Amino acid sequence: MIRLTLTLVLVIGVLSSTSQSLRFEIQSAHTKCIAEDIKSNSMTVGKYNVVNPNDGHPLPESHKLTVRVTSAYGNSYHYADRVDSGQFAFTAAEAGDYMACFWAVDHSPQTTVTIDFDWRTGVQAKDWSNVAKKGSVDVMELELKKLYDTVSSIHQEMFYLRER
């Protein structure tokens, strides 16, 4: 029993780590792509925004992006042209590496565009705060639902890895 409890505490500790967004820079007229291995039928959400270099002033036209999210087979899931922020959400139809590519507009003189990007898949993609609000559940029940979804995700991942 003690061994099971310790294992459960360890699993909860590992899985309850907070996810953080990614911040990166692109020079104007350049591209940066980020890949994420996503299994079939997994929910994925992402949001991105250009960091304003001049707080309190409007974002300059030189700080616009073109963003495209595609599957390993080339299917497009999101496209936005000359934007400073956006978001996407989809359920992966096929397993594999999904790619989010960011293109900075060409500008002279060359500028550096800083981007905040947050991409979540599987259990982390679920908005648990809304689940708690909508369901009027207490804290313990919410934690159990999170744990159940996490364990189910691990179980599905094991089958996926065996299949691969």
Side-chain angles (χ1 to χ4, degrees), residues 17-23 117-120:
S17 62
T18 59
S19 73
Q20 298 177 355
S21 63
L22 177 68
R23 181 175 274 198
F117 181 48
D118 186 21
W119 195 353
R120 300 169 189 245

Side-chain angles (χ1 to χ4, degrees), residues 23-42:
R23 181 175 274 198
F24 58 94
E25 295 179 341
I26 302 178
Q27 296 292 323
S28 56
H30 285 84
T31 303
K32 187 163 283 195
C33 293
I34 298 166
E36 179 74 25
D37 184 28
I38 302 174
K39 61 184 180 182
S40 181
N41 297 319
S42 287

Side-chain angles (χ1 to χ4, degrees), residues 70-149:
T70 57
S71 72
Y73 300 104
N75 298 324
S76 183
Y77 285 88
H78 174 74
Y79 178 78
D81 192 30
R82 300 182 76 78
V83 296
D84 55 31
S85 66
Q87 55 190 8
F88 58 87
F90 59 89
T91 301
E94 64 256 353
D97 284 336
Y98 284 71
M99 193 91 78
C101 290
F102 299 85
W103 292 271
V105 296
D106 193 9
H107 187 266
S108 185
Q110 194 171 47
T111 59
T112 300
V113 179
T114 304
I115 301 162
D116 274 335
F117 181 48
D118 186 21
W119 195 353
R120 300 169 189 245
T121 61
V123 175
Q124 291 140 352
K126 204 173 241 186
D127 185 3
W128 290 105
S129 60
N130 282 339
V131 170
K133 288 176 191 171
K134 290 179 184 173
S136 306
V137 295
D138 64 4
V139 175
M140 182 62 95
E141 188 176 354
L142 177 62
E143 289 301 318
L144 286 172
K145 284 184 178 185
K146 286 183 189 178
L147 186 58
Y148 178 77
D149 274 3

